[in-house]
Amino acid sequence: MSEFGELASKFLRMLAMERGASEHTVRAYSREVRNFAEYLADEVKSGKIADVEHLHIRAYLAVLYERGLGKASAARALASIRSWFKWLAKEGAVKQNPALLVSTPKRPLHLPRVPSAEEVNRMLSSLEEAPRGEEEAGAWPERDRLIFELLYGCGIRNSELVGLDMRAIRWGDEAILVRGKGKKERLVPLGDEAAIAMRAYLPGRAERLTAARKGWLIQEGALIMNLQMRGSCRLTTRSVGRIVKAIAQSRGLPADVHPHTLRHAFGTHMLEEGADLRAIQEMLGHERLSTTQRYTQLSTKQVQDVYEKTHPRAL
């Protein structure tokens, strides 16, 4: 293995073990960093990481464009390369980070169309009205309603939803303990409707676990279960995506609705009602306020309305 490959492997091991990065994050970094390491092995004649310059990185991005990758993909690759070389500089393998001299490709902002509050409430109301025990097409109405209430009512990520265990429910605090990116934990308020959906779902969950002879999971296991009660019984992010898409379409929402759409709607609808942007940032688990600002889609008129309602100097 080349020096580039060895250093890439060490970086990825550190990412998984020391920083507590999620499996998805490690997999994404692994793809980008290993691909660049292979490129360097062919292009840097000395075979030394210390000889890598910013021109090598620019040339690599050009190769990505030639392969048909877009600016968003190139930006992801560059972000991974920057993180790798930041670590290499810290370890003393390179004197400085050459990736800092490469500008990030500007990419257009593509945010999903956010359903209106009326559209989301109408859909959630239809789930409340679903007959108890109805399981057509493999559905579990109480569970599926809870999925929507947690994604929209709490604004959590799909991965955070399926990662919830029973001990994450904090009834006394009227909140759930969510483990986000980098395994950072935050308490997210559990609204009245989400709490009602939770209480409606838990008895059926316990019954199914008992029938599957997995009663030990009732108090400690995953909150959101799969229908078949296989393995740990934890529902996957892919299954959540299918459930959300199928139910949203059956209720007349666009075909491009997915779990992240509901997270966008959570932030946007709260800001529309005048909620503090930093409070929304905390609930969404964003490190940077700028990320929260991109998530929330407000027209100039809506921003003006919030200003006029809340600022003491507004006329």
Side-chain angles (χ1 to χ4, degrees), residues 1 11 31-32 35 37 82 92 95 118 126 133 144 151 153 162 192 206 245 263 269 271-272 281 294:
M1 181 183 292
F11 169 69
R31 180 178 61 252
E32 304 296 354
N35 284 345
R82 279 180 180 160
K95 291 182 179 180
E118 291 75 17
S126 74
D144 297 347
L151 289 172
V162 300
D192 291 343
K245 190 178 185 69
R263 180 168 157 85
H269 295 167
L271 196 57
E272 285 176 351
Q281 175 192 7
R294 289 200 301 270

Side-chain angles (χ1 to χ4, degrees), residues 138-213:
W140 182 348
E142 295 83 7
R143 180 203 62 185
D144 297 347
R145 178 191 169 197
L146 179 60
I147 287 173
F148 273 85
E149 291 289 358
L150 291 176
L151 289 172
Y152 175 66
C154 299
I156 61 178
R157 301 175 177 92
N158 191 352
S159 59
E160 294 171 344
L161 172 75
V162 300
L164 291 173
D165 291 326
M166 286 296 296
R167 59 179 175 270
I169 308 171
R170 304 296 173 91
W171 292 115
D173 297 321
E174 297 183 341
I176 54 173
L177 184 64
V178 177
R179 177 172 286 191
K181 291 184 176 180
K183 297 186 179 179
K184 293 181 180 179
E185 294 183 335
R186 67 185 189 279
L187 275 176
V188 178
L190 186 67
D192 291 343
E193 292 299 327
I196 291 170
M198 183 86 74
R199 294 186 188 280
Y201 161 72
L202 291 178
R205 174 185 177 278
E207 289 175 9
R208 288 170 182 268
L209 284 170
T210 301
R213 298 182 180 180

Side-chain angles (χ1 to χ4, degrees), residues 32 60-61 63-74 76-77:
E32 304 296 354
Y60 178 66
L61 295 183
V63 170
L64 297 183
Y65 290 134
E66 289 173 3
R67 293 176 184 171
L69 273 66
K71 289 185 177 180
S73 298
R76 281 195 299 270

Side-chain angles (χ1 to χ4, degrees), residues 49-293:
I49 196 76
D51 292 332
V52 175
E53 300 176 351
H54 70 281
L55 295 176
H56 291 112
I57 300 172
R58 286 181 178 171
Y60 178 66
L61 295 183
V63 170
L64 297 183
Y65 290 134
E66 289 173 3
R67 293 176 184 171
L69 273 66
K71 289 185 177 180
S73 298
R76 281 195 299 270
L78 179 57
S80 299
I81 292 168
R82 279 180 180 160
S83 295
W84 183 30
F85 273 86
K86 180 180 179 180
W87 174 80
L88 287 169
K90 185 178 178 182
E91 293 293 305
V94 296
K95 291 182 179 180
Q96 58 186 6
N97 186 348
L100 294 178
L101 299 175
V102 182
S103 59
T104 302
K106 291 185 178 181
R107 41 185 175 166
L109 185 61
H110 293 300
L111 291 175
R113 187 193 79 84
V114 174
S116 68
E118 291 75 17
E119 287 176 314
V120 176
N121 284 327
R122 189 163 55 246
M123 178 177 61
L124 293 175
S125 295
S126 74
L127 293 176
E128 291 175 30
E129 297 162 2
R132 291 179 61 83
E134 179 189 76
E135 297 190 2
E136 295 180 7
W140 182 348
E142 295 83 7
R143 180 203 62 185
D144 297 347
R145 178 191 169 197
L146 179 60
I147 287 173
F148 273 85
E149 291 289 358
L150 291 176
L151 289 172
Y152 175 66
C154 299
I156 61 178
R157 301 175 177 92
N158 191 352
S159 59
E160 294 171 344
L161 172 75
V162 300
L164 291 173
D165 291 326
M166 286 296 296
R167 59 179 175 270
I169 308 171
R170 304 296 173 91
W171 292 115
D173 297 321
E174 297 183 341
I176 54 173
L177 184 64
V178 177
R179 177 172 286 191
K181 291 184 176 180
K183 297 186 179 179
K184 293 181 180 179
E185 294 183 335
R186 67 185 189 279
L187 275 176
V188 178
L190 186 67
D192 291 343
E193 292 299 327
I196 291 170
M198 183 86 74
R199 294 186 188 280
Y201 161 72
L202 291 178
R205 174 185 177 278
E207 289 175 9
R208 288 170 182 268
L209 284 170
T210 301
R213 298 182 180 180
K214 294 185 177 182
W216 68 88
L217 293 175
I218 292 176
Q219 299 299 325
E220 299 292 332
L223 172 62
I224 308 297
M225 296 279 180
N226 61 55
L227 272 173
Q228 294 76 21
M229 295 291 156
R230 294 173 182 158
S232 66
C233 306
R234 192 181 301 275
L235 195 66
T236 64
T237 54
R238 182 172 296 180
S239 293
V240 171
R242 284 197 295 264
I243 291 167
V244 168
K245 190 178 185 69
I247 291 177
Q249 282 189 268
S250 71
R251 266 65 174 184
L253 290 182
D256 60 355
V257 169
H258 49 77
H260 222 61
T261 308
L262 298 175
R263 180 168 157 85
H264 277 276
F266 167 87
T268 300
H269 295 167
M270 287 197 68
L271 196 57
E272 285 176 351
E273 294 300 319
D276 179 71
L277 194 61
R278 290 200 177 274
I280 299 173
Q281 175 192 7
E282 182 70 22
M283 286 183 277
L284 288 172
H286 288 155
E287 287 191 7
R288 298 180 182 86
L289 190 62
S290 59
T291 306
T292 310
Q293 290 171 321

